[in-house]
Amino acid sequence: MSDEIPFDRTFDLGPGVVDEVIPGVRRLLANNPSPFTYRGTLTYIVGRDQVAIIDPGPADERHIAALLEAVRGETVTHIVVTHTHRDHSPAAAAVKAATGATVVAEGPHRPARPLHIGEIKSQDAGGDLTFRPDQTIADGETIRGPGWTLEAIATPGHTANHMAFAHKQAEVVFVGDHVMAWSTSIVAPPDGAMSDYMASLEKIGRRSETLYFPGHGGPVRDAPRFVQHTIRHRQGRESSILHRLAKSPADIPTMVRAIYIGLDPRLFGAASLSVLAHLEDLVARGLVHTDGPPSIGGIYRRARA
Ligand SMILES: [Zn+2]
């Protein structure tokens, strides 16, 4: 298997349109397109009459109004949040106020590791720091309504509190930003951690579901195979970093320029953080050295074999 991921960027849904993507699952796109969010954040509505909303989305009045219109006449029992980035969770407060639903998530936003002295939080990560769930949910726990059961799958890596949710009856997984068909996921310290991310890929790839609904872009089909490609791709990136460092010590911008050929300049910061995420993992495993804790400004050396 190659380390090329078979991306599928097909996506023809416009903002504000309610689309029943499979029976009993509707989706609605927020109008927040960007290089990080693709066409925007997808909010999913699970069930009929008594429904759960997955990832209510950004604090965008028009999206919230469209979402409330989509569930008019129905009872929203749960607002389920995959993770606390500002494009996924902030609308929970307004949707809860309008519906009285219970907000369910793994927990508040938190970094994957303690911040280093002087470390500035990444502007790309965009944590929703005010978010608090009404009900925390742990790996393997379920919430249910008529015709649907959602099982929480702890999938830390993109963020420390990331959860995917398996729809047991439909045999699909709402994967948030863990796996997406259009792009790799951003794993950016301090929100994200590469060792956790790789373990979470292995974990979800062992499951039987073959169709994933991500927070951005179209469905992931043939999902376990796609996950294996993603794992290979990350391993390939790690090899590229080690290969570059075998030539000489280097800083992160040098490695980004060597590894990411044809990178959209708007994504240079995100790519730098992704390389930092790999380096944190490589330093922890003793394969790479740096002075002090791995940092965005550090110089990195290949450890002597
Ligand atoms: Zn995210």
Side-chain angles (χ1 to χ4, degrees):
M1 189 183 282
S2 80
D3 59 4
E4 293 296 314
I5 303 174
F7 289 123
D8 180 356
R9 297 188 171 84
T10 314
F11 189 72
D12 53 14
L13 186 68
V17 180
V18 180
D19 171 46
E20 186 158 25
V21 64
I22 57 168
V25 176
R26 286 164 280 171
R27 59 181 185 170
L28 177 68
L29 180 71
N31 192 14
N32 60 334
S34 80
F36 301 99
T37 61
Y38 197 42
R39 305 289 177 74
T41 304
L42 283 167
T43 296
Y44 292 91
I45 303 165
V46 177
R48 276 282 171 193
D49 300 326
Q50 291 183 45
V51 303
I53 288 173
I54 298 180
D55 282 353
D60 175 307
E61 278 179 32
R62 276 193 300 177
H63 181 63
I64 292 165
L67 179 55
L68 293 175
E69 179 61 29
V71 296
R72 194 142 65 107
E74 299 178 285
T75 302
V76 181
T77 58
H78 300 85
I79 300 163
V80 179
V81 168
T82 62
H83 68 294
T84 46
H85 277 158
R86 282 202 297 260
D87 54 329
H88 288 260
S89 55
V95 176
K96 176 186 163 68
T99 63
T102 302
V103 179
V104 180
E106 193 266 1
H109 194 76
R110 64 178 185 277
R113 56 157 171 76
L115 298 190
H116 306 321
I117 293 164
E119 185 171 57
I120 300 164
K121 260 203 53 63
S122 142
Q123 67 277 32
D124 297 331
D128 176 6
L129 304 180
T130 60
F131 177 85
R132 297 288 180 276
D134 298 317
Q135 178 188 330
T136 59
I137 192 163
D139 185 54
E141 291 181 350
T142 56
I143 54 172
R144 47 189 94 221
W148 55 266
T149 304
L150 296 175
E151 176 198 348
I153 309 165
T155 41
H158 175 71
T159 61
N161 65 0
H162 195 288
M163 281 282 188
F165 291 90
H167 186 315
K168 304 298 285 181
Q169 291 82 351
E171 297 183 44
V172 300
V173 185
F174 301 95
V175 282
D177 285 1
H178 184 44
V179 181
M180 299 180 285
W182 71 282
S183 169
T184 54
S185 178
I186 290 175
V187 180
D191 279 10
M194 190 59 72
S195 55
D196 291 345
Y197 184 68
M198 294 300 284
S200 293
L201 283 179
E202 300 276 0
K203 178 179 183 176
I204 204 152
R206 283 193 297 269
R207 296 181 62 94
S208 60
E209 294 92 348
T210 58
L211 183 63
Y212 296 169
F213 291 123
H216 308 274
V220 179
R221 303 179 194 282
D222 201 1
R225 184 163 172 273
F226 188 91
V227 169
Q228 291 310 314
H229 276 286
T230 303
I231 292 168
R232 296 286 194 289
H233 170 81
R234 296 280 176 178
Q235 289 167 341
R237 189 137 280 166
E238 179 182 292
S239 300
S240 300
I241 291 169
L242 290 172
H243 186 252
R244 175 60 192 80
L245 292 179
K247 292 187 202 169
S248 67
D251 61 11
I252 288 177
T254 303
M255 285 184 261
V256 170
R257 281 190 291 270
I259 295 163
Y260 291 79
I261 309 301
L263 178 70
D264 179 339
R266 294 174 296 178
L267 296 178
F268 194 89
S272 301
L273 288 167
S274 182
V275 170
L276 173 60
H278 277 291
L279 289 165
E280 285 187 349
D281 184 34
L282 290 166
V283 168
R285 287 156 55 197
L287 296 170
V288 169
H289 293 161
T290 187
D291 297 323
S295 74
I296 196 77
I299 305 285
Y300 294 86
R301 304 179 294 282
R302 186 80 170 85
R304 295 273 163 259

